[in-house]
Amino acid sequence: MARLVMKFGGTSVADLDRIRNVAAHVKREVDAGHEVAVVVSAMAGKTNELVSLCRSASLLHDAREYDAVVASGEQVTSGLLAIVLQDMGVNARSWQGWQIPIKTDGAHGAARIDDIDGSLLIERISGQGQVAVIAGFQGIAPDNRISTLGRGGSDTSAVAVAAAIKADRCDIYTDVDGVYTTDPRIVPKARRLDKVSFEEMLEMASLGSKVLQVRSVELAMVHGVRTFVRSSFEDPNAVRVMPNGDPYGTLICDEDEIVEQQVVTGIAFSKDEAQISLRRVADKPGVAAAVFGPLAEANINVDMIVQNISQDGKFTDITFTVPLADYDRAISVVKSSDKFEYESLESATDVCKVSVIGMGMRSHAGVAAGAFKALAEKSINIRAITTSEIKISVLIDAAYTELAVRTLHSLYELDKV
Amino acid sequence: MARLVMKFGGTSVADLDRIRNVAAHVKREVDAGHEVAVVVSAMAGKTNELVSLCRSASLLHDAREYDAVVASGEQVTSGLLAIVLQDMGVNARSWQGWQIPIKTDGAHGAARIDDIDGSLLIERISGQGQVAVIAGFQGIAPDNRISTLGRGGSDTSAVAVAAAIKADRCDIYTDVDGVYTTDPRIVPKARRLDKVSFEEMLEMASLGSKVLQVRSVELAMVHGVRTFVRSSFEDPNAVRVMPNGDPYGTLICDEDEIVEQQVVTGIAFSKDEAQISLRRVADKPGVAAAVFGPLAEANINVDMIVQNISQDGKFTDITFTVPLADYDRAISVVKSSDKFEYESLESATDVCKVSVIGMGMRSHAGVAAGAFKALAEKSINIRAITTSEIKISVLIDAAYTELAVRTLHSLYELDKV
């Protein structure tokens, strides 16, 4: 007997047939004797429809009203799933964010969960054997109004509920059957990972592998919530099981739980970046603050930053990347600033960031050098490099994305089963 | 300066253009210096869509889950109207039933309002000059779950809110411009009434005049809420006004407020009835209880009841009407009962109940006699008669409905301006 959170996204609850399929997954776990809380998203397309109603109502809409409107999507799904579960003979009830309550901060439209009191849920799922069907993506703000967590927030809801009710596992049912070494559409030999550490998943999630929302992985790491990525499209009554008894999918867990740690776990990439380079910036103390301060004030998230040691002690080159969506705004922020001087501004939007990720890199030298050599052999020019303890990222021309990803995937022997 | 509740139904908020029109009505009242609370229904068609989702999910769905799903319709409208009002520069916010709170009993799906604490709303609309946009049709039950008031419940929400915040008037904006002496589709000369008493409106509402939900009229009468029926299709910035300064429409109010009381105010009719007659029922004490007890237990609402004095002291005829929708069920309840004996059962579904309504009937003799005579002159056969202090109802063949209504409408000089 285990206590489980099961999370189903929009495509998994797109219509009543899909909701019945979800209910069959839930019933299987209940029949196996597990205590279950389910977290659901809005039916596919519903959130977009509600968001667009708000936008049409006013371009500058009140985020609190937006939240009231948009949160209704999950409310509908939670009620419908409870009805279908009851119809199958499963004791179930729906819970809205304000009923539990899932307390968030006051940042309407992109709220963060502050606190979930799990006692009421535990009493129901454990004491009464009742499945809790929870509307994801939402909570209640300090002003007693509905808040939403921002797009994709249902993953975060699920992990937070799992932490609050001390669940043994948080199963994220999605349209893929796990986390892969890289995007299988680019590298057909990409392999599903049985296990991946929180830290690695965090790097992959923030680098464009869209399986899980970044914040949900952060939260899982902080609270040590074992999170399972698995497919909602499997036959609910004939799910595959791995040799160790775990469900078929990818377990995101503490690195201690991963016995045989790979040096490199995966290759991620993101085309969602734009590069800006300032040539011959006057190299004075505080120049970095002068460049990046205004960007931060404009709420533009700068990702890679590369500043070379100045060659003549007077001038330096600064290169950085920003999200593609903020590119135009970033350019105008930089150009309108009078806090620093530079000779020229160069920029590119057809770039891609490719990253090599692996916990094992911490104890293995030469991983970065190997990557640079392999890319050089394919004549792929590296525009910029950044590294962290468990990640190496290179910025290259977007045209070389597939070649770079495949090259690195082979280099680290991720193709091998 | 007055305190107003403005209620808008589904067709008045059917899409964003219609919602903008509603906002213009609200802004007009705010600009005139009034304190305003708005009660809205779901966008037209939305409630039906949500109800049908629940039905498809399960024919025997949990009413609490049904409420969570269906109440989302009003939630969306309230948020959208608040956004549009803000966009027009009007200070406004949405309120869900549980936020106010509108406390109801636990009869999910058809709940009754127990209590509304108006203090928070008054503080906002009066203290802060903020328009309250309230999701109609819903509240919160003792189990802390969303409840709905049953179809058409938004009228009831509006009147209850008006009572709670001590509003000077409750304006029901609808697709007609008032209450008429009878259905204008049948009698083109039907006149809009400037004023009608609560009691008269109650009879009209329960007799098929579908302008206002019966419960909302009851509530208005109990709390003395002056209720105005007016059109939402008027140009918001050029509304018609009556000579006395009131808006163009029909005021439903205490009879004391109606200076020149008409003998007859209106002619209502309902084709939604079926007649059942039991011939030669053994006339023993308790026979009425024996007939109507099982019907009440089956939750069938018996309307007209006519029992003649038995001619030979042994047998009597009993005639009664039930809602057309319950007709088949009523027949089988009667036939399966062994508590009473009768010679034969006759029934008819092609019948119509026509009613003459007027407070003045209390002090004017001969109103009923006049009606019977006028109908007889047109050779309209009366199947059954019931009367109350302010109403005479006759059951006739449905084919004569229009003729009967027109005849009575002329008889009481309702055609005259």
Side-chain angles (χ1 to χ4, degrees):
Chain A
M1 201 278 294
R3 187 175 292 166
L4 301 178
V5 170
M6 306 172 71
K7 185 262 169 179
F8 295 90
T11 51
S12 303
V13 293
D15 54 38
L16 275 174
D17 280 343
R18 300 287 309 141
I19 290 176
R20 287 195 186 94
N21 178 65
V22 163
H25 278 289
V26 174
K27 187 174 190 306
R28 179 193 67 237
E29 303 292 13
V30 171
D31 288 347
H34 300 314
E35 297 172 359
V36 177
V38 189
V39 174
V40 289
S41 301
M43 295 161 86
K46 205 67 208 168
T47 303
N48 286 342
E49 183 191 319
L50 293 166
V51 168
S52 111
L53 270 175
C54 289
R55 291 208 178 126
S56 307
S58 171
L59 285 174
L60 287 168
H61 48 255
D62 186 337
R64 294 165 298 189
E65 302 302 347
Y66 167 95
D67 281 354
V69 172
V70 174
S72 68
E74 282 73 19
Q75 182 171 325
V76 170
T77 317
S78 63
L80 291 178
L81 178 55
I83 290 173
V84 170
L85 281 168
Q86 290 174 4
D87 197 49
M88 290 182 176
V90 177
N91 181 8
R93 75 155 272 192
S94 68
W95 293 86
Q96 308 311 314
W98 55 270
Q99 288 172 325
I100 295 175
I102 294 179
K103 291 183 184 164
T104 73
D105 62 17
H108 282 278
R112 294 186 76 91
I113 296 175
D114 279 341
D115 182 49
I116 301 179
D117 182 350
S119 56
L120 200 53
L121 289 178
I122 290 174
E123 183 199 316
R124 294 298 186 92
I125 66 171
S126 182
Q128 300 182 22
Q130 184 180 61
V131 172
V133 183
I134 300 164
F137 174 63
Q138 59 176 275
I140 184 160
D143 56 4
N144 199 36
R145 299 185 69 174
I146 298 169
S147 50
T148 65
L149 309 183
R151 297 305 290 268
S154 290
D155 289 345
T156 308
S157 298
V159 172
V161 165
I165 65 171
K166 299 175 180 64
D168 296 291
R169 210 174 63 216
C170 180
D171 285 359
I172 307 284
Y173 287 78
T174 180
D175 50 2
V176 294
D177 63 0
V179 179
Y180 277 69
T181 50
T182 194
D183 189 337
R185 284 169 299 186
I186 287 190
V187 183
K189 285 181 179 172
R191 278 186 305 110
R192 185 184 53 77
L193 294 159
D194 286 348
K195 291 182 179 178
V196 63
S197 72
F198 292 123
E199 289 84 353
E200 289 165 331
M201 190 62 209
L202 206 50
E203 294 289 0
M204 291 194 192
S206 56
L207 287 168
S209 164
K210 281 159 189 161
V211 179
L212 270 182
Q213 224 213 355
V214 178
R215 282 166 57 198
S216 66
V217 183
E218 284 174 2
L219 205 60
M221 182 163 72
V222 170
H223 294 283
V225 175
R226 299 171 75 242
T227 304
F228 225 98
V229 175
R230 55 193 298 185
S231 171
S232 68
F233 290 88
E234 274 196 290
D235 178 349
N237 299 309
V239 291
R240 290 173 292 176
V241 174
M242 295 202 284
N244 67 355
D246 274 350
Y248 190 86
T250 300
L251 178 66
I252 305 161
C253 58
D254 197 273
E255 62 171 312
D256 297 345
E257 213 182 315
I258 303 172
V259 182
E260 231 179 316
Q261 187 69 61
Q262 302 294 309
V263 175
V264 169
T265 311
I267 313 295
F269 61 92
S270 165
K271 293 184 177 176
D272 217 22
E273 313 252 338
Q275 176 203 334
I276 299 174
S277 295
L278 303 175
R279 296 287 180 204
R280 292 183 65 79
V281 182
D283 193 6
K284 294 181 288 196
V287 64
V291 173
F292 297 112
L295 289 166
E297 276 163 31
N299 215 11
I300 295 171
N301 212 353
V302 174
D303 179 16
M304 302 176 88
I305 296 179
V306 182
Q307 182 182 350
N308 291 338
I309 293 165
S310 60
Q311 295 192 313
D312 50 10
K314 286 183 185 164
F315 299 97
T316 184
D317 295 342
I318 295 179
T319 292
F320 58 93
T321 62
V322 295
L324 202 50
D326 292 331
Y327 171 69
D328 291 337
R329 225 151 47 82
I331 292 285
S332 78
V333 166
V334 168
K335 286 190 173 167
S336 64
S337 176
D338 54 4
K339 297 279 171 49
F340 57 94
E341 289 167 3
Y342 57 91
E343 198 177 276
S344 65
L345 184 152
E346 291 167 16
S347 64
T349 54
D350 54 344
V351 294
C352 177
K353 183 171 68 172
V354 178
S355 302
V356 178
I357 295 155
M359 294 292 279
M361 286 167 61
R362 290 179 301 190
S363 49
H364 281 71
V367 174
F372 303 150
K373 180 160 175 281
L375 294 176
E377 281 171 5
K378 303 285 182 185
S379 303
I380 298 172
N381 185 40
I382 298 175
R383 291 165 162 267
I385 301 168
T386 53
T387 60
S388 78
E389 264 202 310
I390 65 163
K391 182 191 71 170
I392 305 152
S393 296
V394 295
L395 195 70
I396 60 170
D397 284 353
Y400 292 97
T401 305
E402 287 75 9
L403 180 60
V405 171
R406 280 185 205 128
T407 300
L408 295 170
H409 199 264
S410 294
L411 176 68
Y412 299 111
E413 302 188 335
L414 296 173
D415 300 346
K416 293 186 182 167
V417 183
Chain B
M1 200 277 296
R3 187 175 292 166
L4 301 178
V5 170
M6 306 171 71
K7 184 261 168 180
F8 295 91
T11 51
S12 302
V13 294
D15 54 38
L16 275 175
D17 279 343
R18 299 289 307 142
I19 290 175
R20 287 195 186 92
N21 177 67
V22 164
H25 278 289
V26 174
K27 187 175 190 307
R28 180 193 67 237
E29 303 293 12
V30 171
D31 289 348
H34 300 314
E35 298 172 358
V36 177
V38 189
V39 174
V40 288
S41 300
M43 294 161 85
K46 206 66 207 169
T47 302
N48 285 341
E49 183 190 319
L50 293 165
V51 168
S52 111
L53 270 175
C54 289
R55 291 207 178 128
S56 306
S58 172
L59 285 175
L60 286 168
H61 47 256
D62 186 337
R64 295 165 298 190
E65 303 303 346
Y66 167 95
D67 282 353
V69 171
V70 174
S72 68
E74 282 73 19
Q75 183 170 325
V76 169
T77 317
S78 64
L80 291 178
L81 178 55
I83 289 173
V84 169
L85 281 168
Q86 290 174 3
D87 197 49
M88 289 182 177
V90 176
N91 181 8
R93 75 155 274 192
S94 68
W95 293 87
Q96 308 311 314
W98 55 270
Q99 287 171 326
I100 295 174
I102 295 178
K103 292 183 184 164
T104 73
D105 61 18
H108 283 277
R112 294 187 78 90
I113 296 175
D114 279 341
D115 182 48
I116 302 178
D117 183 350
S119 55
L120 200 53
L121 289 178
I122 290 174
E123 182 199 316
R124 294 297 186 92
I125 65 172
S126 183
Q128 300 181 24
Q130 185 181 61
V131 172
V133 184
I134 299 165
F137 174 63
Q138 60 176 273
I140 184 160
D143 56 2
N144 198 37
R145 298 184 70 174
I146 297 169
S147 51
T148 66
L149 309 182
R151 298 305 290 269
S154 290
D155 288 344
T156 308
S157 299
V159 172
V161 166
I165 65 172
K166 300 176 181 62
D168 297 291
R169 209 174 65 215
C170 179
D171 284 359
I172 307 285
Y173 286 78
T174 180
D175 49 2
V176 294
D177 63 0
V179 179
Y180 277 68
T181 49
T182 195
D183 188 338
R185 284 169 299 186
I186 286 190
V187 183
K189 286 182 180 169
R191 279 187 304 112
R192 185 184 53 77
L193 294 160
D194 286 348
K195 292 183 179 178
V196 62
S197 72
F198 292 123
E199 290 83 354
E200 289 165 331
M201 189 63 207
L202 207 50
E203 294 289 359
M204 292 194 192
S206 56
L207 287 170
S209 163
K210 281 159 188 162
V211 179
L212 270 181
Q213 225 212 354
V214 178
R215 282 166 56 198
S216 66
V217 183
E218 285 175 0
L219 205 60
M221 181 164 71
V222 169
H223 294 283
V225 175
R226 299 172 75 241
T227 304
F228 224 98
V229 175
R230 56 193 296 185
S231 171
S232 68
F233 290 87
E234 274 199 289
D235 178 348
N237 300 309
V239 290
R240 290 172 292 176
V241 175
M242 294 201 285
N244 67 355
D246 274 351
Y248 190 85
T250 299
L251 177 65
I252 305 161
C253 59
D254 198 272
E255 61 172 311
D256 297 345
E257 212 181 316
I258 304 173
V259 181
E260 232 179 314
Q261 186 68 61
Q262 302 293 308
V263 175
V264 169
T265 310
I267 313 295
F269 62 92
S270 164
K271 294 185 177 176
D272 218 22
E273 313 252 336
Q275 175 202 334
I276 299 175
S277 295
L278 303 175
R279 296 286 179 204
R280 290 182 67 80
V281 183
D283 193 5
K284 293 181 290 195
V287 65
V291 172
F292 297 111
L295 289 166
E297 277 163 30
N299 215 11
I300 295 171
N301 212 353
V302 174
D303 179 16
M304 302 176 89
I305 297 179
V306 182
Q307 182 182 349
N308 291 338
I309 294 164
S310 59
Q311 296 190 309
D312 49 11
K314 287 183 183 161
F315 299 97
T316 184
D317 295 342
I318 295 179
T319 292
F320 58 94
T321 63
V322 296
L324 202 51
D326 293 330
Y327 172 69
D328 290 337
R329 226 151 47 83
I331 292 284
S332 78
V333 166
V334 168
K335 285 190 173 167
S336 66
S337 176
D338 54 5
K339 298 277 169 51
F340 56 94
E341 288 166 4
Y342 56 92
E343 197 177 277
S344 64
L345 185 152
E346 291 166 18
S347 64
T349 55
D350 53 344
V351 294
C352 177
K353 183 171 68 173
V354 177
S355 302
V356 178
I357 296 156
M359 294 293 279
M361 287 167 62
R362 290 178 302 190
S363 49
H364 280 72
V367 174
F372 304 150
K373 180 160 175 280
L375 295 175
E377 281 171 6
K378 303 285 181 186
S379 303
I380 299 172
N381 186 40
I382 299 175
R383 291 165 163 266
I385 301 168
T386 54
T387 59
S388 77
E389 264 202 312
I390 65 164
K391 182 191 71 171
I392 305 154
S393 297
V394 295
L395 196 70
I396 60 170
D397 284 353
Y400 292 97
T401 305
E402 287 75 9
L403 179 60
V405 171
R406 281 186 204 125
T407 299
L408 295 170
H409 200 265
S410 296
L411 175 68
Y412 299 111
E413 303 188 335
L414 297 172
D415 300 347
K416 294 189 180 165
V417 182

